[in-house]
Amino acid sequence: MALIEDIDRLRTQAEAELATVETPDALEQWRIDYLGSKGAVKAAMKQLKDAPPAEKPELGKALNRLKGKLTEAFERRRDALGAGGTPRAAASVEDVTLPGQRPAIGHAHVLSQTIDEISEIFARMGFEVAHGPEVEDERHNFDALNIPSWHPARDELDNFYIDEGTGRPGRTMLRSQTSTIQIRVMETRRPPVRIIAIGRVYRPDTVDATHSFMFHQIEGLYVDEGVTMADLKTCVDQFCKAYFGGDIATRFRPSFFPFTEPSAEVDVWFTYPDGHEDWMELGGCGMVDPNVLAAVDYDAERYTGYAFGLGVERMAMVRHGISDIRLLFANDVRFLRQF
Ligand code: DAH
């Protein structure tokens, strides 16, 4: 009978048309034409009632199969078209010249970047990186650094003393300066030594825009025969030029530290965030005091050395125009992402 062939023809025709469908609108039109309530499949089903009763079951099955196949084909096509109306097969042809999508990974904290950069500059000048503990004893924090027992720097209120009776010489404390590492290095090595050490130091200061109870220092120490103040000035100057840029102005001001003689403070010319310009202190330096060399059994007649201690947060703030030290420790990603 005619209907079975009609069903085959209908399927061939519908599938051929579907293959040419390229847009969501055309697909919807196709659905209406074939699967809609007034579509071709419905129309064929209506004719079923006029078919000879003996053929009805077979025709009924064939019509259901047709409907099922066309519905499946429709869904496949709909999926292939995707949202933009472009068949997925076409979309999957990647444009390999497009830049890749980077996964969002973190990056080093601005202070870590600063520390890395400082270490690298000093490495180029021949300095090794040394380390020392943050929990220290008074010998390394004070005694061996020629800081007498009556010195106000040892005040209970100016230091984080944390324990007594540990068996170590003197009291235990969080180190208040990285100069401790000068002693630790010289205790274990003979000259020449040329090291830097970068790390946290702790002081019970009231926190404000330029003070924190914890901050970082970079300590430098160079001991050898014939080391002079001129070497110190050259080294600090060269470092500042490398870190801040060749046109940075530096200044050495006479100062006093128990562990150096003579001593100086280092300033750089700085444009503050509010626009005014002035010197800003980076830290202290000087020629290692003979008493310090004696404390570690170095021959002070034969060796001389220089040392310096600079504030790392200061440098990061000068370099990046950061006006408040607290921003460096608040860990607000909106701030950190800028660096
Ligand atoms: N330790 C000193 C401070 O924390 C800084 C300093 C000054 C370090 C002079 C030095 C130095 O090595 O020679 O204020």
Side-chain angles (χ1 to χ4, degrees), residues 279-299:
W279 293 107
M280 178 158 111
E281 185 191 322
L282 273 193
C285 64
M287 300 305 293
V288 180
D289 194 289
N291 287 343
V292 174
L293 296 176
V296 293
D297 284 333
Y298 276 19
D299 181 351

Side-chain angles (χ1 to χ4, degrees), residues 177 179 182 203 217 219 257 259-260 284-286 307-309:
Q177 51 184 356
S179 304
Q182 295 185 28
R203 295 176 193 179
Q217 286 185 326
E219 193 78 15
F257 297 99
F259 31 90
T260 44
C285 64
F308 54 85

Side-chain angles (χ1 to χ4, degrees), residues 107-128:
H107 66 275
H109 189 283
V110 58
L111 270 182
S112 302
Q113 294 178 33
T114 306
I115 287 169
D116 290 348
E117 206 175 322
I118 294 171
S119 310
E120 206 199 293
I121 294 169
F122 279 109
R124 291 206 297 265
M125 295 199 274
F127 286 80
E128 278 175 66

Side-chain angles (χ1 to χ4, degrees), residues 172-203:
T172 306
M173 61 186 300
L174 297 180
R175 71 180 174 207
S176 64
Q177 51 184 356
T178 46
S179 304
T180 53
I181 302 166
Q182 295 185 28
I183 303 303
R184 291 206 168 264
V185 169
M186 289 192 286
E187 276 173 344
T188 52
R189 292 168 56 171
R190 298 281 96 197
V193 294
R194 180 153 35 176
I195 58 100
I196 56 157
I198 306 183
R200 298 188 181 98
V201 299
Y202 301 85
R203 295 176 193 179

Side-chain angles (χ1 to χ4, degrees), residues 215-232:
F215 57 98
H216 295 73
Q217 286 185 326
I218 170 169
E219 193 78 15
L221 173 72
Y222 178 31
V223 182
D224 199 352
E225 290 180 32
V227 178
T228 69
M229 188 90 183
D231 297 324
L232 168 62

